[in-house]
Amino acid sequence: MRLAIDIGNTNSVFAVIEKGEIVEQFRMRTDAGRTADEYFVWFSTLCSACNITLDVEKVILTSTVPAAVFNIRVLSHRYFGGEPLVVGSDNCQLDVPVRLDAGTGVGPDRLVNAIAGFNKYGPDLIVVDFGTATTFDIVGSDGGYEGGVIATGVNLSLKALSDAAAALPHVDVVRPEKIIGTSTKGAMQSGIYWGYISLVEGMCTRIENEYGKKMKVILTGGLSSLFAKGMTTFDALDGDLTIRGLNLILERNGQK
């Protein structure tokens, strides 16, 4: 059994992988202060509830929250008997060209998505990740990471709107039936839902025009399935992209 962990700014995903297949995924709110013991009690309880035998041989981790990495390392050592492979560390080989300005870094999760996207969908990709931020990552003809775009995430935009305007309520992210809202709630929901679709579709068109050739658009991230319902200009919806990328990186590092 392999354990692939994707720690994002808002949520963390723990995925159980057997023989290259994702058996189950568990999601929790990210908390950098959570201890290794807390992780283990939560994870082992869910595995037991799903009749999964807890026999973890390899652990791989990608994290956008550096402070959370320490306790995952402790978790891996204490309960699974070994050092986790951490994406972005010196001993983790990605074998992907990164074409960014000198001295510029990129989130490890974005590189994982680029690797997984190229492996499954081929070259010339725009990977759109609906996470805490809405990111657009460009994968070139040779699988290289060409750069990307970072926009404010959907839930962050909603929170900023309701926090800054006292008269505006908090609303859920849903697909409104109409674009023109006939209530404050409907207008806000339309602005978020259809506004973000316009953002994504418009940005992908501009990226493709600048890139100079036809590109495939791959949607991923927690809200991708909701926004895919209103979009017509994407090629694939892949909620497992990051986890499959982590599994692929384990194999590339000789951990079969």
Side-chain angles (χ1 to χ4, degrees), residues 7 10-12 14 27-43 67-75:
I7 298 181
T10 304
N11 293 312
S12 300
F14 285 56
R27 186 179 296 267
M28 73 180 338
R29 181 170 295 278
T30 298
D31 178 357
R34 187 170 280 114
T35 68
D37 298 331
E38 289 175 311
Y39 279 122
F40 181 74
V41 169
W42 170 80
F43 179 64
V69 174
F70 174 78
N71 282 318
I72 296 294
R73 288 186 182 274
V74 174
L75 169 73

PDB file of all heavy atoms in Angstrom, residues 7 10-12 14 27-43 67-75:
ATOM      1  N   ILE A   7      -1.174  18.194   0.742  1.00  0.00           N
ATOM      2  CA  ILE A   7      -1.551  19.200   1.727  1.00  0.00           C
ATOM      3  C   ILE A   7      -1.703  20.543   1.027  1.00  0.00           C
ATOM      4  O   ILE A   7      -0.715  21.139   0.572  1.00  0.00           O
ATOM      5  CB  ILE A   7      -0.517  19.300   2.859  1.00  0.00           C
ATOM      6  CG1 ILE A   7      -0.440  17.973   3.616  1.00  0.00           C
ATOM      7  CG2 ILE A   7      -0.877  20.433   3.818  1.00  0.00           C
ATOM      8  CD1 ILE A   7       0.527  17.981   4.767  1.00  0.00           C
ATOM      9  N   THR A  10      -6.080  24.963   2.153  1.00  0.00           N
ATOM     10  CA  THR A  10      -7.369  24.842   2.834  1.00  0.00           C
ATOM     11  C   THR A  10      -7.631  23.421   3.312  1.00  0.00           C
ATOM     12  O   THR A  10      -7.983  23.195   4.473  1.00  0.00           O
ATOM     13  CB  THR A  10      -8.510  25.291   1.911  1.00  0.00           C
ATOM     14  OG1 THR A  10      -8.262  26.637   1.469  1.00  0.00           O
ATOM     15  CG2 THR A  10      -9.847  25.238   2.635  1.00  0.00           C
ATOM     16  N   ASN A  11      -7.474  22.453   2.420  1.00  0.00           N
ATOM     17  CA  ASN A  11      -7.747  21.051   2.742  1.00  0.00           C
ATOM     18  C   ASN A  11      -6.552  20.175   2.415  1.00  0.00           C
ATOM     19  O   ASN A  11      -5.705  20.533   1.586  1.00  0.00           O
ATOM     20  CB  ASN A  11      -8.972  20.541   1.974  1.00  0.00           C
ATOM     21  CG  ASN A  11     -10.250  21.211   2.430  1.00  0.00           C
ATOM     22  OD1 ASN A  11     -10.522  21.303   3.615  1.00  0.00           O
ATOM     23  ND2 ASN A  11     -11.053  21.691   1.479  1.00  0.00           N
ATOM     24  N   SER A  12      -6.505  19.016   3.070  1.00  0.00           N
ATOM     25  CA  SER A  12      -5.477  18.008   2.800  1.00  0.00           C
ATOM     26  C   SER A  12      -6.160  16.704   2.396  1.00  0.00           C
ATOM     27  O   SER A  12      -7.200  16.355   2.952  1.00  0.00           O
ATOM     28  CB  SER A  12      -4.609  17.770   4.041  1.00  0.00           C
ATOM     29  OG  SER A  12      -3.961  18.953   4.445  1.00  0.00           O
ATOM     30  N   PHE A  14      -5.570  12.564   1.843  1.00  0.00           N
ATOM     31  CA  PHE A  14      -4.786  11.360   2.065  1.00  0.00           C
ATOM     32  C   PHE A  14      -5.379  10.281   1.167  1.00  0.00           C
ATOM     33  O   PHE A  14      -6.569   9.946   1.301  1.00  0.00           O
ATOM     34  CB  PHE A  14      -4.880  10.914   3.523  1.00  0.00           C
ATOM     35  CG  PHE A  14      -4.072  11.731   4.490  1.00  0.00           C
ATOM     36  CD1 PHE A  14      -4.242  13.106   4.576  1.00  0.00           C
ATOM     37  CD2 PHE A  14      -3.140  11.126   5.322  1.00  0.00           C
ATOM     38  CE1 PHE A  14      -3.518  13.863   5.486  1.00  0.00           C
ATOM     39  CE2 PHE A  14      -2.403  11.884   6.228  1.00  0.00           C
ATOM     40  CZ  PHE A  14      -2.586  13.247   6.306  1.00  0.00           C
ATOM     41  N   ARG A  27     -10.381  13.354   3.110  1.00  0.00           N
ATOM     42  CA  ARG A  27     -10.088  14.791   3.107  1.00  0.00           C
ATOM     43  C   ARG A  27     -10.284  15.371   4.507  1.00  0.00           C
ATOM     44  O   ARG A  27     -11.253  15.048   5.193  1.00  0.00           O
ATOM     45  CB  ARG A  27     -11.017  15.481   2.110  1.00  0.00           C
ATOM     46  CG  ARG A  27     -10.748  16.961   1.894  1.00  0.00           C
ATOM     47  CD  ARG A  27     -11.722  17.515   0.851  1.00  0.00           C
ATOM     48  NE  ARG A  27     -11.511  16.887  -0.433  1.00  0.00           N
ATOM     49  CZ  ARG A  27     -10.733  17.364  -1.386  1.00  0.00           C
ATOM     50  NH1 ARG A  27     -10.092  18.506  -1.197  1.00  0.00           N
ATOM     51  NH2 ARG A  27     -10.585  16.737  -2.533  1.00  0.00           N
ATOM     52  N   MET A  28      -9.353  16.245   4.904  1.00  0.00           N
ATOM     53  CA  MET A  28      -9.473  16.937   6.184  1.00  0.00           C
ATOM     54  C   MET A  28      -9.038  18.391   5.997  1.00  0.00           C
ATOM     55  O   MET A  28      -8.319  18.720   5.045  1.00  0.00           O
ATOM     56  CB  MET A  28      -8.621  16.265   7.259  1.00  0.00           C
ATOM     57  CG  MET A  28      -7.145  16.503   7.096  1.00  0.00           C
ATOM     58  SD  MET A  28      -6.045  15.744   8.330  1.00  0.00           S
ATOM     59  CE  MET A  28      -7.059  15.468   9.726  1.00  0.00           C
ATOM     60  N   ARG A  29      -9.480  19.248   6.914  1.00  0.00           N
ATOM     61  CA  ARG A  29      -9.053  20.646   6.871  1.00  0.00           C
ATOM     62  C   ARG A  29      -7.573  20.730   7.266  1.00  0.00           C
ATOM     63  O   ARG A  29      -7.134  20.088   8.208  1.00  0.00           O
ATOM     64  CB  ARG A  29      -9.911  21.485   7.815  1.00  0.00           C
ATOM     65  CG  ARG A  29      -9.541  22.981   7.807  1.00  0.00           C
ATOM     66  CD  ARG A  29     -10.559  23.795   8.555  1.00  0.00           C
ATOM     67  NE  ARG A  29     -11.845  23.750   7.904  1.00  0.00           N
ATOM     68  CZ  ARG A  29     -12.206  24.496   6.865  1.00  0.00           C
ATOM     69  NH1 ARG A  29     -11.313  25.331   6.338  1.00  0.00           N
ATOM     70  NH2 ARG A  29     -13.401  24.404   6.334  1.00  0.00           N
ATOM     71  N   THR A  30      -6.815  21.519   6.513  1.00  0.00           N
ATOM     72  CA  THR A  30      -5.394  21.672   6.798  1.00  0.00           C
ATOM     73  C   THR A  30      -5.177  22.461   8.086  1.00  0.00           C
ATOM     74  O   THR A  30      -5.768  23.515   8.294  1.00  0.00           O
ATOM     75  CB  THR A  30      -4.687  22.389   5.635  1.00  0.00           C
ATOM     76  OG1 THR A  30      -4.797  21.591   4.458  1.00  0.00           O
ATOM     77  CG2 THR A  30      -3.212  22.624   5.934  1.00  0.00           C
ATOM     78  N   ASP A  31      -4.335  21.903   8.946  1.00  0.00           N
ATOM     79  CA  ASP A  31      -3.971  22.543  10.213  1.00  0.00           C
ATOM     80  C   ASP A  31      -2.509  22.205  10.477  1.00  0.00           C
ATOM     81  O   ASP A  31      -2.176  21.061  10.804  1.00  0.00           O
ATOM     82  CB  ASP A  31      -4.868  22.032  11.342  1.00  0.00           C
ATOM     83  CG  ASP A  31      -4.515  22.625  12.700  1.00  0.00           C
ATOM     84  OD1 ASP A  31      -3.539  23.391  12.780  1.00  0.00           O
ATOM     85  OD2 ASP A  31      -5.208  22.303  13.679  1.00  0.00           O
ATOM     86  N   ALA A  32      -1.648  23.188  10.324  1.00  0.00           N
ATOM     87  CA  ALA A  32      -0.212  22.943  10.477  1.00  0.00           C
ATOM     88  C   ALA A  32       0.157  22.490  11.875  1.00  0.00           C
ATOM     89  O   ALA A  32       1.215  21.899  12.088  1.00  0.00           O
ATOM     90  CB  ALA A  32       0.572  24.202  10.120  1.00  0.00           C
ATOM     91  N   GLY A  33      -0.722  22.730  12.858  1.00  0.00           N
ATOM     92  CA  GLY A  33      -0.431  22.327  14.227  1.00  0.00           C
ATOM     93  C   GLY A  33      -0.870  20.927  14.570  1.00  0.00           C
ATOM     94  O   GLY A  33      -0.617  20.447  15.690  1.00  0.00           O
ATOM     95  N   ARG A  34      -1.507  20.240  13.646  1.00  0.00           N
ATOM     96  CA  ARG A  34      -1.984  18.880  13.932  1.00  0.00           C
ATOM     97  C   ARG A  34      -0.787  17.939  14.098  1.00  0.00           C
ATOM     98  O   ARG A  34       0.149  17.943  13.303  1.00  0.00           O
ATOM     99  CB  ARG A  34      -2.884  18.411  12.798  1.00  0.00           C
ATOM    100  CG  ARG A  34      -3.565  17.079  13.063  1.00  0.00           C
ATOM    101  CD  ARG A  34      -4.619  16.782  12.008  1.00  0.00           C
ATOM    102  NE  ARG A  34      -5.849  17.511  12.295  1.00  0.00           N
ATOM    103  CZ  ARG A  34      -6.336  18.481  11.522  1.00  0.00           C
ATOM    104  NH1 ARG A  34      -5.690  18.853  10.434  1.00  0.00           N
ATOM    105  NH2 ARG A  34      -7.459  19.090  11.837  1.00  0.00           N
ATOM    106  N   THR A  35      -0.813  17.117  15.149  1.00  0.00           N
ATOM    107  CA  THR A  35       0.319  16.245  15.452  1.00  0.00           C
ATOM    108  C   THR A  35       0.268  14.954  14.642  1.00  0.00           C
ATOM    109  O   THR A  35      -0.767  14.586  14.077  1.00  0.00           O
ATOM    110  CB  THR A  35       0.346  15.886  16.943  1.00  0.00           C
ATOM    111  OG1 THR A  35      -0.791  15.040  17.235  1.00  0.00           O
ATOM    112  CG2 THR A  35       0.290  17.125  17.814  1.00  0.00           C
ATOM    113  N   ALA A  36       1.395  14.247  14.641  1.00  0.00           N
ATOM    114  CA  ALA A  36       1.468  12.958  13.954  1.00  0.00           C
ATOM    115  C   ALA A  36       0.466  11.972  14.529  1.00  0.00           C
ATOM    116  O   ALA A  36      -0.164  11.198  13.799  1.00  0.00           O
ATOM    117  CB  ALA A  36       2.886  12.400  14.056  1.00  0.00           C
ATOM    118  N   ASP A  37       0.312  11.984  15.838  1.00  0.00           N
ATOM    119  CA  ASP A  37      -0.639  11.075  16.481  1.00  0.00           C
ATOM    120  C   ASP A  37      -2.076  11.386  16.071  1.00  0.00           C
ATOM    121  O   ASP A  37      -2.881  10.474  15.846  1.00  0.00           O
ATOM    122  CB  ASP A  37      -0.510  11.173  18.001  1.00  0.00           C
ATOM    123  CG  ASP A  37       0.872  10.769  18.484  1.00  0.00           C
ATOM    124  OD1 ASP A  37       1.510   9.941  17.813  1.00  0.00           O
ATOM    125  OD2 ASP A  37       1.305  11.293  19.517  1.00  0.00           O
ATOM    126  N   GLU A  38      -2.405  12.655  15.970  1.00  0.00           N
ATOM    127  CA  GLU A  38      -3.747  13.033  15.518  1.00  0.00           C
ATOM    128  C   GLU A  38      -3.996  12.572  14.085  1.00  0.00           C
ATOM    129  O   GLU A  38      -5.076  12.065  13.764  1.00  0.00           O
ATOM    130  CB  GLU A  38      -3.926  14.543  15.630  1.00  0.00           C
ATOM    131  CG  GLU A  38      -4.032  15.050  17.055  1.00  0.00           C
ATOM    132  CD  GLU A  38      -4.081  16.556  17.132  1.00  0.00           C
ATOM    133  OE1 GLU A  38      -3.226  17.229  16.502  1.00  0.00           O
ATOM    134  OE2 GLU A  38      -4.979  17.083  17.814  1.00  0.00           O
ATOM    135  N   TYR A  39      -3.002  12.773  13.229  1.00  0.00           N
ATOM    136  CA  TYR A  39      -3.129  12.288  11.846  1.00  0.00           C
ATOM    137  C   TYR A  39      -3.394  10.778  11.830  1.00  0.00           C
ATOM    138  O   TYR A  39      -4.262  10.296  11.103  1.00  0.00           O
ATOM    139  CB  TYR A  39      -1.841  12.565  11.056  1.00  0.00           C
ATOM    140  CG  TYR A  39      -1.687  13.959  10.526  1.00  0.00           C
ATOM    141  CD1 TYR A  39      -0.579  14.735  10.873  1.00  0.00           C
ATOM    142  CD2 TYR A  39      -2.617  14.511   9.651  1.00  0.00           C
ATOM    143  CE1 TYR A  39      -0.408  16.014  10.375  1.00  0.00           C
ATOM    144  CE2 TYR A  39      -2.452  15.790   9.138  1.00  0.00           C
ATOM    145  CZ  TYR A  39      -1.353  16.541   9.509  1.00  0.00           C
ATOM    146  OH  TYR A  39      -1.185  17.811   9.003  1.00  0.00           O
ATOM    147  N   PHE A  40      -2.620  10.057  12.626  1.00  0.00           N
ATOM    148  CA  PHE A  40      -2.733   8.598  12.590  1.00  0.00           C
ATOM    149  C   PHE A  40      -4.089   8.116  13.100  1.00  0.00           C
ATOM    150  O   PHE A  40      -4.694   7.217  12.507  1.00  0.00           O
ATOM    151  CB  PHE A  40      -1.620   7.943  13.402  1.00  0.00           C
ATOM    152  CG  PHE A  40      -1.677   6.440  13.369  1.00  0.00           C
ATOM    153  CD1 PHE A  40      -1.289   5.748  12.234  1.00  0.00           C
ATOM    154  CD2 PHE A  40      -2.147   5.718  14.459  1.00  0.00           C
ATOM    155  CE1 PHE A  40      -1.365   4.362  12.180  1.00  0.00           C
ATOM    156  CE2 PHE A  40      -2.220   4.345  14.412  1.00  0.00           C
ATOM    157  CZ  PHE A  40      -1.836   3.662  13.270  1.00  0.00           C
ATOM    158  N   VAL A  41      -4.576   8.679  14.186  1.00  0.00           N
ATOM    159  CA  VAL A  41      -5.877   8.269  14.724  1.00  0.00           C
ATOM    160  C   VAL A  41      -6.976   8.525  13.687  1.00  0.00           C
ATOM    161  O   VAL A  41      -7.834   7.667  13.442  1.00  0.00           O
ATOM    162  CB  VAL A  41      -6.181   9.018  16.038  1.00  0.00           C
ATOM    163  CG1 VAL A  41      -7.637   8.798  16.454  1.00  0.00           C
ATOM    164  CG2 VAL A  41      -5.247   8.545  17.143  1.00  0.00           C
ATOM    165  N   TRP A  42      -6.947   9.693  13.084  1.00  0.00           N
ATOM    166  CA  TRP A  42      -7.941  10.039  12.050  1.00  0.00           C
ATOM    167  C   TRP A  42      -7.859   9.103  10.850  1.00  0.00           C
ATOM    168  O   TRP A  42      -8.861   8.525  10.416  1.00  0.00           O
ATOM    169  CB  TRP A  42      -7.710  11.490  11.620  1.00  0.00           C
ATOM    170  CG  TRP A  42      -8.479  11.932  10.420  1.00  0.00           C
ATOM    171  CD1 TRP A  42      -9.782  12.331  10.365  1.00  0.00           C
ATOM    172  CD2 TRP A  42      -7.980  12.022   9.078  1.00  0.00           C
ATOM    173  NE1 TRP A  42     -10.126  12.668   9.077  1.00  0.00           N
ATOM    174  CE2 TRP A  42      -9.033  12.479   8.262  1.00  0.00           C
ATOM    175  CE3 TRP A  42      -6.739  11.766   8.486  1.00  0.00           C
ATOM    176  CZ2 TRP A  42      -8.894  12.686   6.885  1.00  0.00           C
ATOM    177  CZ3 TRP A  42      -6.596  11.969   7.122  1.00  0.00           C
ATOM    178  CH2 TRP A  42      -7.664  12.421   6.334  1.00  0.00           C
ATOM    179  N   PHE A  43      -6.636   8.921  10.335  1.00  0.00           N
ATOM    180  CA  PHE A  43      -6.451   8.112   9.136  1.00  0.00           C
ATOM    181  C   PHE A  43      -6.760   6.635   9.386  1.00  0.00           C
ATOM    182  O   PHE A  43      -7.461   5.986   8.600  1.00  0.00           O
ATOM    183  CB  PHE A  43      -5.015   8.270   8.624  1.00  0.00           C
ATOM    184  CG  PHE A  43      -4.696   7.466   7.394  1.00  0.00           C
ATOM    185  CD1 PHE A  43      -5.334   7.721   6.198  1.00  0.00           C
ATOM    186  CD2 PHE A  43      -3.750   6.448   7.451  1.00  0.00           C
ATOM    187  CE1 PHE A  43      -5.038   6.978   5.064  1.00  0.00           C
ATOM    188  CE2 PHE A  43      -3.451   5.707   6.330  1.00  0.00           C
ATOM    189  CZ  PHE A  43      -4.096   5.973   5.128  1.00  0.00           C
ATOM    190  N   ALA A  67       4.963  24.389   7.080  1.00  0.00           N
ATOM    191  CA  ALA A  67       4.928  24.065   8.503  1.00  0.00           C
ATOM    192  C   ALA A  67       4.258  22.731   8.791  1.00  0.00           C
ATOM    193  O   ALA A  67       4.445  22.161   9.872  1.00  0.00           O
ATOM    194  CB  ALA A  67       4.207  25.179   9.267  1.00  0.00           C
ATOM    195  N   ALA A  68       3.471  22.231   7.840  1.00  0.00           N
ATOM    196  CA  ALA A  68       2.767  20.964   8.057  1.00  0.00           C
ATOM    197  C   ALA A  68       3.643  19.750   7.746  1.00  0.00           C
ATOM    198  O   ALA A  68       3.297  18.622   8.124  1.00  0.00           O
ATOM    199  CB  ALA A  68       1.501  20.914   7.206  1.00  0.00           C
ATOM    200  N   VAL A  69       4.758  19.970   7.071  1.00  0.00           N
ATOM    201  CA  VAL A  69       5.571  18.848   6.603  1.00  0.00           C
ATOM    202  C   VAL A  69       6.211  18.089   7.765  1.00  0.00           C
ATOM    203  O   VAL A  69       6.302  16.854   7.739  1.00  0.00           O
ATOM    204  CB  VAL A  69       6.646  19.341   5.608  1.00  0.00           C
ATOM    205  CG1 VAL A  69       7.599  18.206   5.236  1.00  0.00           C
ATOM    206  CG2 VAL A  69       5.982  19.911   4.359  1.00  0.00           C
ATOM    207  N   PHE A  70       6.643  18.797   8.784  1.00  0.00           N
ATOM    208  CA  PHE A  70       7.359  18.151   9.892  1.00  0.00           C
ATOM    209  C   PHE A  70       6.541  17.022  10.500  1.00  0.00           C
ATOM    210  O   PHE A  70       7.043  15.902  10.688  1.00  0.00           O
ATOM    211  CB  PHE A  70       7.730  19.177  10.964  1.00  0.00           C
ATOM    212  CG  PHE A  70       8.332  18.561  12.200  1.00  0.00           C
ATOM    213  CD1 PHE A  70       9.655  18.150  12.215  1.00  0.00           C
ATOM    214  CD2 PHE A  70       7.557  18.356  13.333  1.00  0.00           C
ATOM    215  CE1 PHE A  70      10.209  17.556  13.341  1.00  0.00           C
ATOM    216  CE2 PHE A  70       8.098  17.763  14.472  1.00  0.00           C
ATOM    217  CZ  PHE A  70       9.425  17.372  14.476  1.00  0.00           C
ATOM    218  N   ASN A  71       5.280  17.289  10.838  1.00  0.00           N
ATOM    219  CA  ASN A  71       4.480  16.266  11.506  1.00  0.00           C
ATOM    220  C   ASN A  71       4.099  15.113  10.575  1.00  0.00           C
ATOM    221  O   ASN A  71       3.875  13.999  11.050  1.00  0.00           O
ATOM    222  CB  ASN A  71       3.235  16.893  12.128  1.00  0.00           C
ATOM    223  CG  ASN A  71       3.564  17.601  13.430  1.00  0.00           C
ATOM    224  OD1 ASN A  71       4.328  17.102  14.246  1.00  0.00           O
ATOM    225  ND2 ASN A  71       3.014  18.791  13.615  1.00  0.00           N
ATOM    226  N   ILE A  72       4.064  15.364   9.274  1.00  0.00           N
ATOM    227  CA  ILE A  72       3.846  14.247   8.347  1.00  0.00           C
ATOM    228  C   ILE A  72       5.091  13.364   8.303  1.00  0.00           C
ATOM    229  O   ILE A  72       5.008  12.137   8.216  1.00  0.00           O
ATOM    230  CB  ILE A  72       3.495  14.762   6.937  1.00  0.00           C
ATOM    231  CG1 ILE A  72       2.168  15.510   6.968  1.00  0.00           C
ATOM    232  CG2 ILE A  72       3.421  13.613   5.949  1.00  0.00           C
ATOM    233  CD1 ILE A  72       0.970  14.643   7.301  1.00  0.00           C
ATOM    234  N   ARG A  73       6.252  13.989   8.386  1.00  0.00           N
ATOM    235  CA  ARG A  73       7.486  13.194   8.472  1.00  0.00           C
ATOM    236  C   ARG A  73       7.468  12.319   9.729  1.00  0.00           C
ATOM    237  O   ARG A  73       7.821  11.135   9.679  1.00  0.00           O
ATOM    238  CB  ARG A  73       8.705  14.119   8.497  1.00  0.00           C
ATOM    239  CG  ARG A  73       9.030  14.796   7.174  1.00  0.00           C
ATOM    240  CD  ARG A  73      10.341  15.574   7.306  1.00  0.00           C
ATOM    241  NE  ARG A  73      10.700  16.294   6.102  1.00  0.00           N
ATOM    242  CZ  ARG A  73      11.380  15.783   5.077  1.00  0.00           C
ATOM    243  NH1 ARG A  73      11.764  14.517   5.124  1.00  0.00           N
ATOM    244  NH2 ARG A  73      11.678  16.520   4.026  1.00  0.00           N
ATOM    245  N   VAL A  74       7.047  12.902  10.842  1.00  0.00           N
ATOM    246  CA  VAL A  74       6.969  12.142  12.092  1.00  0.00           C
ATOM    247  C   VAL A  74       5.956  11.007  11.947  1.00  0.00           C
ATOM    248  O   VAL A  74       6.206   9.869  12.379  1.00  0.00           O
ATOM    249  CB  VAL A  74       6.585  13.059  13.264  1.00  0.00           C
ATOM    250  CG1 VAL A  74       6.372  12.233  14.540  1.00  0.00           C
ATOM    251  CG2 VAL A  74       7.664  14.112  13.491  1.00  0.00           C
ATOM    252  N   LEU A  75       4.818  11.292  11.345  1.00  0.00           N
ATOM    253  CA  LEU A  75       3.800  10.267  11.097  1.00  0.00           C
ATOM    254  C   LEU A  75       4.389   9.098  10.319  1.00  0.00           C
ATOM    255  O   LEU A  75       4.203   7.923  10.684  1.00  0.00           O
ATOM    256  CB  LEU A  75       2.639  10.871  10.309  1.00  0.00           C
ATOM    257  CG  LEU A  75       1.600   9.890   9.740  1.00  0.00           C
ATOM    258  CD1 LEU A  75       0.724   9.333  10.852  1.00  0.00           C
ATOM    259  CD2 LEU A  75       0.754  10.580   8.673  1.00  0.00           C
TER     260      LEU A  75
END
